[in-house]
Amino acid sequence: MEDFEALLNESFELTTPEEGTVVKGTVIAIEAGQAIIDIGYKMEGRVELKEFAQPGQEAEIAPGDEVEVYLERVENARGEAVISRDKARREEAWDRLEKAYEKEERVEGAIFGRVKGGFTVDLGGAVAFLPGSQVDVRPVRDAGPLMGLPQPFQILKMDRRRGNIVVSRRAVLEESRAEQRAEIVGKLTEGDVIEGVVKNITEYGAFVDLGGVDGLLHVTDMAWRRVNHPNEILNIGESVKVQVVKINKETQRISLGMKQLQADPWDDVESKFPIDSRHTGRVTNITDYGAFVELEPGVEGLVHVSEMSWTKKNVHPGKIVSTSQEVEVMVLEIDTAKRRVSLGLKQTQGNPWENFEAAYPPGTEVEGEVKNITEFGLFIGLDGDIDGMVHLSDIDWDRRGEDAIEDYKKGDMVRAKVTEIDAERERISLSIKALDESFDGAVDGIKRGQVVTVNVTSIEDGGIEVEYDGMKAFIRRSDLSRDRSEQRPERFSVGDKVDARITQIDKASRRLGLSIKAREIAEEKEAVEQYGSSDSGASLGDILGAALKGRDDE
C-alpha cells in the first residue's frame, strides 16, 4: 500500500500543471462574454473574450479551438482554474522580443492607446511604451491615422523583471529615409533644376521635399531682392522649381536656390544707375548706420547716416526716414564686385547754405528764433533748418557783447542782417547791430578831409571824446595839435566846440576818425600856397598873418 501511495503521488506531481506556466487548452463553450477552456486534468477556467482580440478588432474564437493560456492558480474559490490568455501571449511575446532585441531586429506592433508623454504599443501580447519624440522624425500633431495600424518598431530598451519595454518608430523611419536619401542624393548633381514641394518654413529658409529627401532653400537664395521672411514668397504645400546649388556628400545635405533661375539684376546696374543720377526707391531696412533703399527688385543701396541730412548730424536714421517710404536718392558710388551701391539722400534736396545764399545774400535782413546761447554769441534759426550766428561783437554798438547778450533768451524772435555766408564751411554770420543805420545817415552828408565842428563830451588821459551829430568819436592825444607842447587834453573843457578834420569814415565799425592836428597842417599848407612861399624870404608868421588878415577881410 505504501508503494502504491508513493506511485500515485508521483503520478499527480508529474501530470498536474505547475502554476505560473503556459499550458494548452480547448475551448468548450462561450457564454456571457467569456470562453470556458478545458486545460485537462479535470480542470477548467474562464477567460474574457477581449483577451483573444487584437487591438481595435473583434475576438475570433469558437468552441473546439485550441489555445495557450497562462495558469495562475490551479483552483480558486469556485473550484475553477485561474487562467489568462493575455499573460500567455505576454510570456510568449517576451521570449520572442528578447531574441529580437539581442539581434537588433525590428518587431511589429500596433499603437492602441495614449498615455502621458507618449503612446502604448501592442507587440503581439507585450505592451510597450512609445515616447512622443519617437513617433516620427518631425513632431506629430495628430497620431489618429497611426492608431491600430500594424507597423515596424525598434526596441530601444527592455527590462523583463520590471515589465518595461521602450520602442521607437522614428528610428525605423530614419533608417529607411537614410537609405532613400542616399539613393536620391546619389542621382543629383549641382546645377540640376528640379521640382519640389515646400514642406516646412522657418525664419532662415524653407525645407523643400525633392521626392523623399529634403533640401534647404535659404532665405538669401529665394530672390535677388531682400526677403525679410520666407513666408513673404512661399507657402507650405506649394510646388516650386529650384536649382541644386550645393551637395554635401558626407552629411547628405542639399542646398537649393530659386534666384539662380532668374537673371542677375546686378549685371547691368552701372548702366541703369550711373553715378550722380537720381532715382526713386523704397526704404527696406533701417539700421544705426543708415538706411537701405531698394532701387529695383534685387538691387539695394545704402544711404549712410552722413548722407541723409545736411543739418541733422547726430540723429538716428529712423527719425529721418521710415520703412517702406518712397524717397528720392542720388547714386554716389557703385562697387559691382562687392554688390554695393552708395546713395545720398541730402544731395537731392540741395545744399541749404547755398540755397540760403541765393535767397538771402549778404546785407539782407532776416528774422529767426534764438535756438541757443553760448559764451561767444547767439545761434538764430533760419530758413532751410539751418542756423546763423550773431557774434558777441555784433550784438550792440555801444555795449560790451557780454552785457548785451544778457538781453536775450531762447525762443526770442530777433531780427538781424546777413553779413557773411560760407557755404563750404556751413557757416552764416549775422549782425544785430548792423540794423542800426543811424550812423550811415549821419555820415551821408560829409566826406573825408572835411572840417567839422564837434562838442567835447569827455576829457581822458589819452585824448578827448567828442560828439558830432549824435555820433561819438575820440581824438587821440597825438592828434590834438601839430605843436607837441599843445597836445594836452587838459587844455580842453567839456562843452568846448572844436574844429577837426575828418580823417576816416568806417561805416562797418561805425567809427569817425577826427584830427585837430590834420586840420592845422591842412590850413598851413593852404596858407602857404595862397600867400607865398617860405623860399621867397617870407616868414611863416608873415604868411599866417596875411592869411588871417585875408580871412578877417572876408
Side-chain angles (χ1 to χ4, degrees):
M1 289 296 292
E2 291 179 358
D3 292 340
F4 178 76
E5 185 177 356
L7 289 172
L8 184 62
N9 290 335
E10 184 179 350
S11 175
F12 278 124
E13 289 178 1
L14 291 173
T15 57
T16 301
E18 182 180 352
E19 292 181 349
T21 61
V22 177
V23 297
K24 289 186 178 181
T26 304
V27 179
I28 58 176
I30 295 177
E31 57 183 36
Q34 294 180 326
I36 302 174
I37 300 173
D38 180 5
I39 60 173
Y41 312 102
K42 298 182 180 181
M43 297 170 58
E44 295 177 355
R46 295 173 180 269
V47 178
E48 296 287 337
L49 289 180
K50 64 181 181 180
E51 293 190 24
F52 292 92
Q54 296 294 331
Q57 301 178 10
E58 296 290 332
E60 295 181 1
I61 190 169
D65 290 347
E66 284 193 356
V67 295
E68 289 186 342
V69 293
Y70 182 83
L71 179 62
E72 295 186 50
R73 279 188 295 165
V74 173
E75 187 175 5
N76 61 10
R78 294 186 299 179
E80 295 179 342
V82 180
I83 57 179
S84 169
R85 173 58 185 161
D86 280 345
K87 291 185 178 180
R89 292 175 65 240
R90 189 178 304 146
E91 291 297 315
E92 178 187 346
W94 272 94
D95 290 340
R96 174 173 52 81
L97 294 174
E98 282 182 335
K99 292 178 182 179
Y101 180 58
E102 290 176 1
K103 297 179 181 180
E104 296 184 355
E105 295 177 347
R106 299 175 185 176
V107 295
E108 189 168 292
I111 302 173
F112 69 91
R114 185 187 296 272
V115 294
K116 183 178 181 180
F119 303 88
T120 51
V121 180
D122 182 0
L123 298 178
V127 177
F129 173 62
L130 173 64
S133 61
Q134 297 297 320
V135 176
D136 206 329
V137 290
R138 303 191 190 284
V140 177
R141 295 182 179 179
D142 181 16
L146 300 175
M147 303 292 279
L149 181 68
Q151 53 193 310
F153 295 88
Q154 188 77 38
I155 300 175
L156 302 180
K157 181 181 178 181
M158 66 185 302
D159 186 338
R160 187 163 188 168
R161 183 174 62 84
R162 296 184 178 181
N164 292 336
I165 304 176
V166 180
V167 295
S168 171
R169 178 174 176 269
R170 175 178 177 174
V172 176
L173 295 176
E174 286 181 341
E175 186 177 341
S176 300
R177 285 172 63 88
E179 296 174 357
Q180 186 181 21
R181 187 182 187 92
E183 181 180 354
I184 296 174
V185 171
K187 296 178 181 179
L188 293 176
T189 57
E190 293 180 3
D192 287 351
V193 178
I194 52 180
E195 289 273 350
V197 178
V198 179
K199 191 173 183 180
N200 191 28
I201 294 178
T202 67
E203 290 186 357
Y204 55 86
F207 289 94
V208 180
D209 186 353
L210 304 177
V213 61
D214 291 348
L216 174 61
L217 175 60
H218 197 271
V219 65
T220 57
D221 286 313
M222 291 182 179
W224 290 107
R225 66 178 178 85
R226 178 188 295 271
V227 179
N228 295 317
H229 196 281
N231 59 20
E232 292 180 8
I233 56 177
L234 294 177
N235 296 305
I236 293 178
E238 179 183 357
S239 294
V240 292
K241 183 178 287 187
V242 292
Q243 184 180 67
V244 179
V245 177
K246 187 176 181 181
I247 300 175
N248 189 324
K249 297 293 185 181
E250 295 181 0
T251 61
Q252 295 188 347
R253 290 182 178 177
I254 304 173
S255 298
L256 306 173
M258 285 176 61
K259 73 179 185 182
Q260 287 77 2
L261 301 177
Q262 305 166 0
D264 187 350
W266 281 86
D267 291 342
D268 54 0
V269 163
E270 290 183 329
S271 60
K272 276 188 175 182
F273 307 101
I275 304 297
D276 293 336
S277 60
R278 296 189 179 194
H279 305 273
T280 299
R282 181 177 61 87
V283 178
T284 57
N285 191 29
I286 297 175
T287 67
D288 291 338
Y289 53 85
F292 288 91
V293 176
E294 183 182 62
L295 299 176
E296 70 173 14
V299 178
E300 280 186 347
L302 172 65
V303 181
H304 193 267
V305 64
S306 62
E307 304 294 346
M308 302 198 82
S309 173
W310 291 102
T311 56
K312 299 174 182 177
K313 301 296 185 182
N314 298 312
V315 177
H316 190 276
K319 293 186 178 180
I320 300 176
V321 296
S322 57
T323 305
S324 299
Q325 179 183 348
E326 295 284 337
V327 294
E328 185 182 13
V329 292
M330 178 181 286
V331 179
L332 305 180
E333 185 181 350
I334 297 176
D335 187 338
T336 53
K338 295 182 179 179
R339 303 172 79 90
R340 292 178 181 175
V341 177
S342 297
L343 304 173
L345 182 65
K346 69 182 185 181
Q347 287 78 358
T348 63
Q349 301 165 355
N351 187 322
W353 285 272
E354 293 178 355
N355 297 340
F356 184 87
E357 185 173 16
Y360 305 96
T364 306
E365 186 177 320
V366 293
E367 185 176 16
E369 180 184 343
V370 176
K371 296 292 187 181
N372 195 19
I373 301 176
T374 68
E375 60 183 9
F376 48 83
L378 304 172
F379 283 90
I380 311 298
L382 303 173
D383 289 351
D385 200 24
I386 58 179
D387 292 343
M389 190 189 80
V390 180
H391 194 268
L392 286 176
S393 61
D394 285 310
I395 297 178
D396 195 284
W397 288 109
D398 302 321
R399 291 190 295 166
R400 295 172 62 248
E402 290 79 359
D403 297 330
I405 201 172
E406 297 294 331
D407 295 341
Y408 299 90
K409 61 181 182 298
K410 281 187 180 180
D412 285 352
M413 295 298 295
V414 299
R415 291 166 47 250
K417 184 173 287 188
V418 179
T419 57
E420 185 182 358
I421 300 174
D422 188 340
E424 187 174 339
R425 299 173 66 185
E426 300 181 354
R427 291 181 180 178
I428 297 175
S429 299
L430 305 175
S431 174
I432 295 176
K433 72 180 186 180
L435 294 173
D436 184 1
E437 298 179 351
S438 60
F439 179 84
D440 295 344
V443 300
D444 281 345
I446 61 176
K447 59 185 178 179
R448 185 178 177 187
Q450 183 177 341
V451 176
V452 294
T453 301
V454 297
N455 294 323
V456 178
T457 57
S458 178
I459 309 299
E460 308 290 344
D461 290 340
I464 60 174
E465 186 179 86
V466 298
E467 183 181 90
Y468 172 72
D469 200 10
M471 295 180 293
K472 290 187 177 182
F474 189 79
I475 303 176
R476 295 174 300 176
R477 176 188 286 268
S478 60
D479 285 315
L480 292 178
S481 177
R482 67 186 299 274
D483 188 350
R484 186 178 296 274
S485 63
E486 294 298 319
Q487 294 176 350
R488 295 176 290 107
E490 60 270 18
R491 72 186 181 92
F492 297 93
S493 300
V494 175
D496 287 352
K497 292 185 181 296
V498 180
D499 290 339
R501 183 184 177 91
I502 299 175
T503 58
Q504 184 181 14
I505 300 175
D506 189 345
K507 292 185 178 182
S509 62
R510 289 173 60 98
R511 292 184 181 276
L512 188 64
L514 298 173
S515 173
I516 299 174
K517 175 181 178 181
R519 187 210 78 198
E520 293 175 345
I521 292 175
E523 288 179 348
E524 179 182 331
K525 183 178 180 182
E526 182 182 351
V528 170
E529 291 177 353
Q530 187 173 356
Y531 295 100
S533 170
S534 56
D535 294 339
S536 63
S539 66
L540 182 60
D542 295 335
I543 297 171
L544 291 178
L548 291 174
K549 185 177 184 298
R551 183 174 297 177
D552 292 341
D553 292 342
E554 294 176 358

